[in-house]
Amino acid sequence: MSKLNIVILAAGKGTRMHSDTPKVLHEIGAMSILGHVITCAKTLKPNKIIVVYGFGGETVKDTFLGENIIWVKQAEQMGTGHAVQQAVAYLDDDANTLILLGDVPLVDTLDCQKLLSQASDKLAILSFNKADPTGYGRMIRDPHGQIRAIVEHKDATALQQKIIEVNTGIMAMPNQYLVKWLAQLTNDNVQGEYYLTDIVEFAVQQGVSVVAEITEDEWSVTGINAKTDLAKIERIYQTRYAHQLLLQGVTLKDPARLDIRGTLSCGRDVEIDVNCLFEGNVRLGDKVKIAANCVIKNAVIDAGTHIAPFTHIDDTQIGENARIGPFARLRPGTILAAHTHVGNFVELKNSQVDLGSKINHLSYVGDATVGKNVNIGAGTITCNYDGANKFRTVIEDDVFIGSDSQLVAPVTIAKGATIGAGSTITKDAPADQLTFCRAKEQKSIASWKRPVKIKK
Ligand code: UD1
Ligand code: CA
């Protein structure tokens, strides 16, 4: 296989986004538009990826720090040809170049491969038959169907404007030709720009074959210019992701009501109900069920676990056959072992809960180590923070914490201990004993009367 250089054009201002963020940094599925293009580029295993940047370029560069990318600046936007000219110094003599657009996030790897399979001795262009071709460069073919030129909309005659086959902007060719052609460009056209598309005529004049691959998939060649495009492409991206999951055997109650902003990998017989959002990296084991309205980020959920509605999970690991929610909140650093139960209005943070333990109602458990087979009663709170420092609570195996107790950390509840309901525990509780701490006496006042409304 011959050497490959990929040039990504990303100097466009993106005025129509009405945003302080450079256009290519807006996100689809929580990855920047340019990030999607770079991801596609990488799958093609190029020797070099060269990004031509302009407006807001420094922020764009910083976003991709540490990636093996060559950045070249196009200070002034003088056209697509001028943009590619900025990259010439980095092009390898013996390579082919693929040109991609930094604002076309759903670019298809297979389409690129089709172009590249012809790019060693031809100019290969990805085209598309567009119902409304307004604004696009038109593919001009001779009566034999051979491509003769690309004419920009503004330069086209009325007859040429009727042509619906348009240039997507994605093309590939050998560098030995590209470099020569770039040197021949002029800006002698309606827009006074250096058009990359003029290389088609040069190729024809010099007897180099020009071929087009016509894609059927409009979205894979759609550029983002406004927030309306961003929203549309986001939906397409999500629909396609959901479709992939369905093909893998995941049950989605409604594929239109699922959002994945990152990667979601699923085992067999996973079920996901409506309105769930997955962020970062989420892994669901076999037979996991996610009920409606859950938000799950960076989590590993093992086989057989059920997540009930309205549960929020962030940076958490959950073992097999656990029961979580409804209305549970699992915050970063939470590790739940198999067969654990976490119920409604329970918040866990940086806590490890061992096999079979239950925290079913209205509790805050933070910075705690909870052993096996522990039952934490309703309304239990670990007081982990003194306003300046955080301390751990240790609850050993087989402990029973009575409802509405406060465990003031640092504190250890030893194995098999029972804490009486309503206790405020400030000292370690010994193993296998009942420990409680309440007001001494329970009083009843026989003569007491409820206050009544005073009539005016
Ligand atoms: C270009 C093509 C047109 C094609 C259309 C597809 C030319 C002359 N025209 O149109 O045939 O139908 O794309 O969308 O090539 N860019 C730069 N620097 C510049 C100008 C553009 O980096 O000076 C980048 C933009 O950021 C964008 C891409 O090139 O990613 C295309 O630019 P855009 O202005 O959208 O396309 P046109 O030039 O109008
Ligand atoms: Ca333009």
Side-chain angles (χ1 to χ4, degrees):
M1 233 173 53
S2 41
K3 260 177 146 178
L4 174 61
N5 296 161
I6 296 182
V7 177
I8 301 175
L9 305 186
K13 268 201 177 60
T15 326
R16 280 186 281 155
M17 296 295 270
H18 299 291
S19 168
D20 292 336
T21 303
K23 175 164 93 169
V24 294
L25 292 188
H26 288 272
E27 293 178 342
I28 297 292
M31 187 196 269
S32 69
I33 297 169
L34 181 58
H36 284 277
V37 182
I38 290 173
T39 302
C40 168
K42 281 185 174 166
T43 61
L44 299 165
K45 308 243 178 304
N47 301 80
K48 283 177 187 170
I49 297 177
I50 304 161
V51 178
V52 182
Y53 71 97
F55 177 78
E58 310 314 318
T59 355
V60 178
K61 268 163 80 171
D62 289 351
T63 311
F64 297 93
L65 226 60
E67 299 211 29
N68 196 9
I69 290 169
I70 299 168
W71 296 90
V72 293
K73 188 157 187 165
Q74 185 193 22
E76 211 187 326
Q77 265 195 275
M78 295 163 68
T80 50
H82 182 257
V84 181
Q85 280 171 351
Q86 310 311 303
V88 165
Y90 298 97
L91 298 179
D92 298 309
D93 296 336
D94 54 345
N96 303 322
T97 284
L98 172 69
I99 294 177
L100 298 177
L101 308 184
D103 58 2
V104 178
L106 301 188
V107 52
D108 185 65
T109 315
L110 274 170
D111 284 338
C112 296
Q113 280 162 346
K114 282 186 202 160
L115 296 184
L116 290 172
S117 70
Q118 310 191 70
S120 59
D121 60 350
K122 297 185 185 76
L123 169 56
I125 300 168
L126 190 64
S127 69
F128 176 70
N129 290 319
K130 200 160 173 18
D132 175 11
T134 308
Y136 287 82
R138 304 300 204 283
M139 306 296 290
I140 310 294
R141 293 175 183 263
D142 69 15
H144 308 288
Q146 294 297 310
I147 295 157
R148 307 301 298 182
I150 293 174
V151 176
E152 291 306 298
H153 182 88
K154 288 180 181 160
D155 299 284
T157 63
L159 205 62
Q160 287 171 331
Q161 286 189 357
K162 292 212 165 73
I163 297 169
I164 62 157
E165 189 188 359
V166 301
N167 169 32
T168 65
I170 297 167
M171 50 181 85
M173 69 297 281
N175 286 354
Q176 59 174 124
Y177 297 140
L178 176 62
V179 173
K180 192 171 66 178
W181 294 335
L182 288 172
Q184 288 179 251
L185 292 177
T186 65
N187 62 353
D188 182 17
N189 52 56
V190 171
Q191 302 185 82
E193 285 183 9
Y194 293 89
Y195 291 164
L196 178 63
T197 44
D198 285 352
I199 67 174
V200 176
E201 274 172 276
F202 303 153
V204 170
Q205 284 158 17
Q206 292 160 28
V208 176
S209 308
V210 183
V211 292
E213 282 293 333
I214 306 176
T215 177
E216 303 276 305
D217 174 12
E218 177 159 17
W219 300 113
S220 73
V221 295
T222 298
I224 291 177
N225 291 306
K227 290 287 171 76
T228 48
D229 302 324
L230 192 69
K232 236 183 264 169
I233 298 277
E234 176 75 25
R235 277 302 98 212
I236 299 298
Y237 174 83
Q238 294 298 344
T239 304
R240 289 181 178 184
Y241 207 130
H243 189 70
Q244 281 307 313
L245 292 172
L246 291 170
L247 290 178
Q248 288 163 26
V250 178
T251 299
L252 301 176
K253 294 297 180 188
D254 182 355
R257 283 184 286 168
L258 169 74
D259 283 85
I260 296 159
R261 301 187 191 148
T263 44
L264 173 63
S265 60
C266 295
R268 286 179 79 80
D269 294 307
V270 166
E271 283 186 35
I272 302 173
D273 212 325
V274 298
N275 293 330
C276 290
L277 168 59
F278 295 89
E279 299 181 277
N281 262 308
V282 177
R283 257 186 19 231
L284 306 180
D286 295 347
K287 296 190 164 59
V288 163
K289 284 189 186 182
I290 311 289
N293 299 299
C294 292
V295 177
I296 302 180
K297 180 178 180 183
N298 294 326
V300 177
I301 301 178
D302 290 343
T305 288
H306 296 181
I307 312 290
F310 294 98
T311 292
H312 189 256
I313 297 175
D314 186 2
D315 216 336
T316 289
Q317 293 173 40
I318 307 176
E320 292 183 5
N321 297 306
R323 296 291 176 266
I324 313 295
F327 297 101
R329 181 172 184 212
L330 308 182
R331 291 171 53 202
T334 299
I335 301 175
L336 302 177
H339 298 282
T340 46
H341 289 195
V342 173
N344 43 218
F345 308 108
V346 171
E347 174 182 351
L348 297 184
K349 189 218 67 174
N350 191 26
S351 290
Q352 293 78 53
V353 180
D354 211 338
L355 194 71
S357 290
K358 296 178 176 134
I359 314 170
N360 272 330
H361 325 272
L362 301 158
S363 289
Y364 172 66
V365 176
D367 301 308
T369 306
V370 178
K372 296 183 181 65
N373 196 31
V374 168
N375 194 314
I376 296 186
T380 299
I381 290 173
T382 56
C383 308
N384 60 326
Y385 186 50
D386 63 6
N389 306 290
K390 289 188 175 152
F391 301 96
R392 288 197 76 81
T393 299
V394 177
I395 301 172
E396 295 181 352
D397 296 350
D398 303 311
V399 161
F400 181 98
I401 311 275
S403 296
D404 193 28
S405 294
Q406 301 90 53
L407 309 175
V408 182
V411 71
T412 295
I413 314 299
K415 188 173 188 315
T418 298
I419 302 297
S423 296
T424 300
I425 302 296
T426 55
K427 288 178 284 197
D428 292 353
D432 300 316
Q433 297 182 27
L434 170 66
T435 298
F436 63 96
C437 176
R438 293 180 188 150
K440 280 209 178 57
E441 42 185 351
Q442 177 169 332
K443 281 186 192 163
S444 301
I445 302 169
S447 60
W448 184 80
K449 294 232 167 11
R450 277 192 190 166
V452 288
K453 254 196 179 143
I454 302 162
K455 280 195 177 118
K456 285 180 203 149

